[in-house]
């Protein structure tokens, strides 16, 4: 996939290769997204030092709405703007269009290692990330 962060910085699926990554599909008015946001922030803080990349994929919001959500929940990892659905379309084998939130864990080669539809329970997600992190580079 190819997309842009809300500040215009380009991001591609290929740019995530080389380290484990987590993609979280969300939007601000999504109640389950609001529930899981603090857990994702905590996991990001835990795993960022180990090189795990987190990337939000905002499927509905304008920049002002997305930034307000990120400020409210203290989200420090970047999100791409995907109102046009390019990332969602590229990941359609793994992310049903109406299944938000969805969280995908990618291995170091950019392959989907795990998928969680709905709220990602912190302990489950921690285990999935640790498994991918422990795999040989």
């Amino acid at each position: 996939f190819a997309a842009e962060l809300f500040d215009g910085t380009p991001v591609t699926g290929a740019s995530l290769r080389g380290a484990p990554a987590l993609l979280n599909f969300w939007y601000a008015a999504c109640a389950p997204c609001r529930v899981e946001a603090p857990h994702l922030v905590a996991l990001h803080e835990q795993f960022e030092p180990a090189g795990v990349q987190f990337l939000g994929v905002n499927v509905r919001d304008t920049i002002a709405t997305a930034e307000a959500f990120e400020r409210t929940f203290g989200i420090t990892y970047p999100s791409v703007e995907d109102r046009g659905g390019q990332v969602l379309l590229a990941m359609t084998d793994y992310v049903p269009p109406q299944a938000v939130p969805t969280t995908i864990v990618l291995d170091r080669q950019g392959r989907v290692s795990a998928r969680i539809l709905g709220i990602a329970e912190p302990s489950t997600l921690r285990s999935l990330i640790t498994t991918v992190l422990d795999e040989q580079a």
Side-chain angles (χ1 to χ4, degrees), residues 48-99:
E48 183 182 35
V52 179
Q53 302 175 74
F54 279 58
L55 181 67
V57 180
N58 185 288
V59 298
R60 290 194 185 170
D61 300 322
T62 63
I63 188 169
T65 303
E67 286 178 342
F69 179 94
E70 291 173 342
R71 278 191 309 275
T72 298
F73 292 100
I75 296 172
T76 57
Y77 56 85
S79 285
V80 296
E81 187 276 320
D82 196 43
R83 287 183 290 162
Q86 295 88 346
V87 178
L88 191 62
L89 183 60
M91 302 299 289
T92 196
D93 286 347
Y94 309 102
V95 183
Q98 299 303 319

Side-chain angles (χ1 to χ4, degrees), residues 26-39 60 69 73 100-101 118-120:
W26 68 279
Y27 63 94
C30 162
C33 300
R34 299 175 79 76
V35 170
E36 75 177 1
H39 304 299
R60 290 194 185 170
F69 179 94
F73 292 100
V100 176
I119 296 173

Side-chain angles (χ1 to χ4, degrees), residues 13-14 16-23 91 94 104-115 128 132 135-137:
L16 299 176
R17 290 188 185 127
L22 178 142
L23 300 179
M91 302 299 289
Y94 309 102
I104 296 176
V105 178
L106 302 175
D107 68 10
R108 296 174 197 278
Q109 290 78 41
R111 300 175 299 199
V112 174
S113 175
R115 173 187 73 171
L128 294 170
V132 171
E135 292 175 352
Q136 292 294 330

